[in-house]
Amino acid sequence: MANPLNNLFGKKAPAVKPTKTVGGMGRAVYGGFIQENEKSPDLSGDKKFETYSEILANTSIVATGVRYFLNLTAKAEWSFVPAEHPEGQKYADLAEEMLTQDPKTPWHRIVRRSAMYRFYGFSVQEWTARRREDGHITFADIAPRAQRTIKRWDIDENTGDVLGMLQTLPQNQREVYLPRQKVLYMVDDTLEDSPTGLGIFRHLVAPAARLRRYEQLEGFGFETDLRGIPIGRGPFAELAQMVADGDMTAADRIALEKPIRDFTSNHIKSPKLALLLDSKTYESQDETERASNAKQWDMELLKGGSTSFADVAVAISRVNKEMARVLGVEQLLLGDDAAGSFALSKDKTNSFFLLVDGTLREITETVTDDLLKTLWQLNGFPEDAMPEISNEAVRFQDVEQIAASLRDMAAAGAVMAPNDPAIGEVRDLLGLSRPEAVDMDDDAGLGNSTTPEGSVEDGEDEIPGDPDNGGG
């Protein structure tokens, strides 16, 4: 069969060995600097991480969603499953101690920092080793290296693999090399084939900018809204003329004007707020001198028509929901507009838990490759004695639902024994102490260690009329 590429190139297509890598990564790297296609200078190079950090620090829905995600990630229980080895349990306990207890930084903080790759695109933590008193080599600490300080990357030109990264120290601007073998490196390269990946924060840049603008317009609207501002009226021109004509002293004029001037300049609503004004009205200048409806002394609040405050509030709410949807925490906003249901909230919460579990699974795999295998190599432990790392799925456990399920199982015939582990776990969820261990062999109804006088021995059935069995 002819190769279709022969017609495309006009010549015979080159043969490629299946063991040889031909293609390369999707980003060009020159001198360690990744060539990006971002048009905005705020999203290019290490500047983008400052932009991401600003969004995280100053946008409430982003801060809430990120903290919620990280707290659930750090809450997961980690376990070390022993390998099928004569000393499998020993090495499993040793691995758990070296990873979760020996480092200076607590394990839950290491996991939380690792999970930041989902948001920034990647995360780097450098480990430092030390020798324990028992002679084994363990981790002294696993410390983070901020994304904005990673300026250049050492990339294998043939495979595109990361060989290391160069960090610029903020204190003295000195550049140090971090080998790939000495770091815990996580990257979200699903949407971007780059060592820096493409995190969720990149999708929040535009919505965050719109949200800031809408909130700015809302603030301008409140500041320039004249509704409710006190307006004071009085015969100020007439009083000034009377002072000029000598009919009134300046001190008397100030005393007359002081109450209304003080009210308009220092008004603060309080239980003692009150103002008494002269009710005299203006009169016509003809011989009839008819009174008008306009009072010489008056005080009222400025009124106005409808504003766009409600429209701006709807726009702000829409952008907040959009950002929450990107983060996967839309369930946190259910009910703020009297809409939503418990079933919808539960479904969205379960979907969010799946995102957390997926992140934990990726962290587990990377911890195994970057940390656990490193410990085995440094100490020369047997490879077949390496335990398997796992963590429990993050879930909200409804005690009532669990108890109802166990009750239905019992009604169906699957009655639990008094020493069933499920009883202790349910009591843990209820915050109750576990009962004392029940030994089923000591149960009087099931025990066979003693035989009362006149009873039948174990394994013998009394059959009437059978002389060999004691029957009559």
Side-chain angles (χ1 to χ4, degrees):
M1 180 177 179
N3 192 327
L5 293 180
N6 293 339
N7 298 329
L8 178 64
F9 295 109
K11 59 181 181 179
K12 184 178 180 180
V16 178
K17 295 181 179 180
T19 58
K20 181 180 179 181
T21 300
V22 179
M25 63 182 297
R27 286 293 179 188
V29 180
Y30 299 108
F33 294 99
I34 301 174
Q35 305 304 304
E36 300 174 339
N37 295 330
E38 294 286 358
K39 305 301 181 183
S40 172
D42 292 336
L43 298 176
S44 300
D46 57 304
K47 179 66 176 177
K48 64 183 176 183
F49 299 115
E50 297 181 9
T51 303
Y52 299 161
S53 298
E54 192 274 335
I55 295 175
L56 175 60
N58 298 316
T59 310
S60 58
I61 185 60
V62 176
T64 302
V66 171
R67 288 187 176 275
Y68 183 37
F69 182 91
L70 296 180
N71 288 338
L72 288 177
T73 305
K75 180 183 179 295
E77 294 290 338
W78 291 66
S79 59
F80 294 76
V81 182
E84 295 293 336
H85 186 273
E87 296 182 308
Q89 186 62 51
K90 166 192 170 183
Y91 285 107
D93 296 340
L94 190 59
E96 181 176 5
E97 185 177 341
M98 288 180 171
L99 282 178
T100 64
Q101 300 179 22
D102 288 352
K104 177 182 177 182
T105 303
W107 180 247
H108 65 271
R109 292 176 59 187
I110 296 174
V111 174
R112 185 184 290 117
R113 290 167 175 172
S114 298
M116 286 301 295
Y117 84 96
R118 286 293 306 274
F119 302 99
Y120 281 102
F122 77 98
S123 66
V124 174
Q125 298 184 76
E126 180 187 3
W127 58 261
T128 305
R130 67 175 176 85
R131 189 174 294 277
R132 293 165 30 127
E133 295 181 356
D134 57 7
H136 295 314
I137 299 177
T138 186
F139 293 125
D141 197 11
I142 303 174
R145 300 294 176 252
Q147 287 85 356
R148 64 179 180 274
T149 64
I150 307 298
K151 306 289 187 178
R152 296 197 293 159
W153 296 81
D154 184 11
I155 307 296
D156 188 309
E157 296 182 356
N158 297 323
T159 63
D161 295 335
V162 176
L163 303 178
M165 56 280 300
L166 291 96
Q167 180 190 23
T168 301
L169 302 180
Q171 292 82 359
N172 51 23
Q173 298 301 306
R174 184 169 60 91
E175 193 175 57
V176 296
Y177 183 79
L178 301 176
R180 176 65 182 88
Q181 296 82 2
K182 200 176 184 299
V183 296
L184 174 62
Y185 168 62
M186 302 284 301
V187 61
D188 186 354
D189 56 359
T190 304
L191 303 178
E192 178 64 47
D193 184 15
S194 170
T196 58
L198 185 66
I200 296 178
F201 283 155
R202 178 60 185 89
H203 309 306
L204 297 175
V205 174
R210 293 200 305 270
L211 181 62
R212 285 195 299 269
R213 180 57 177 165
Y214 292 157
E215 291 179 341
Q216 185 184 49
L217 293 176
E218 186 181 47
F220 289 160
F222 279 115
E223 292 176 356
T224 57
D225 184 17
L226 300 180
R227 295 179 302 174
I229 294 179
I231 302 176
R233 298 185 179 92
F236 300 108
E238 181 180 349
L239 294 177
Q241 185 61 42
M242 293 176 65
V243 173
D245 295 341
D247 297 336
M248 178 183 293
T249 64
D252 292 339
R253 173 193 171 187
I254 294 175
L256 287 173
E257 298 178 355
K258 187 176 186 306
I260 197 168
R261 290 186 180 274
D262 290 346
F263 185 90
T264 55
S265 60
N266 302 317
H267 68 286
I268 299 178
K269 192 172 183 179
S270 68
K272 298 182 180 181
L273 182 63
L275 181 64
L276 296 177
L277 299 175
D278 194 338
S279 61
K280 183 180 180 181
T281 62
Y282 286 99
E283 299 175 353
S284 63
Q285 299 297 323
D286 55 14
E287 64 276 2
T288 61
E289 296 184 350
R290 291 188 301 269
S292 68
N293 293 328
K295 299 178 181 179
Q296 293 186 4
W297 298 92
D298 190 19
M299 176 67 68
E300 68 176 355
L301 299 179
L302 187 64
K303 300 179 178 61
S306 61
T307 66
S308 59
F309 289 159
D311 297 332
V312 175
V314 171
I316 291 176
S317 177
R318 185 182 69 248
V319 177
N320 267 318
K321 289 183 178 180
E322 178 184 347
M323 301 178 75
R325 194 175 297 115
V326 173
L327 290 168
V329 294
E330 189 182 5
Q331 73 277 6
L332 298 179
L333 300 179
L334 290 177
D336 62 340
D337 55 356
S341 63
F342 174 75
L344 179 61
S345 175
K346 184 178 181 180
D347 180 71
K348 291 183 176 294
T349 301
N350 290 336
S351 298
F352 180 72
F353 286 159
L354 291 177
L355 295 177
V356 176
D357 291 341
T359 300
L360 284 171
R361 189 177 300 111
E362 294 184 19
I363 294 177
T364 301
E365 295 173 354
T366 306
V367 166
T368 300
D369 293 336
D370 291 355
L371 298 182
L372 185 60
K373 291 183 179 179
T374 298
L375 287 175
W376 248 244
Q377 294 173 359
L378 292 176
N379 292 279
F381 293 153
E383 184 176 352
D384 58 347
M386 183 185 301
E388 179 182 353
I389 302 178
S390 64
N391 48 68
E392 66 173 2
V394 177
R395 291 287 184 274
F396 171 74
Q397 296 178 331
D398 190 341
V399 182
E400 294 184 2
Q401 183 178 2
I402 295 174
S405 299
L406 296 177
R407 179 194 60 203
D408 294 341
M409 292 173 59
V415 181
M416 291 187 300
N419 61 346
D420 195 298
I423 297 179
E425 294 180 5
V426 172
R427 294 177 71 93
D428 290 340
L429 294 175
L430 292 172
L432 303 175
S433 59
R434 291 199 176 197
E436 295 183 1
V438 178
D439 189 351
M440 298 299 294
D441 292 336
D442 293 340
D443 194 313
L446 299 177
N448 297 319
S449 58
T450 59
T451 304
E453 183 178 355
S455 65
V456 180
E457 295 290 345
D458 292 340
E460 297 181 356
D461 296 329
E462 182 177 354
I463 304 176
D466 187 352
D468 294 336
N469 236 341

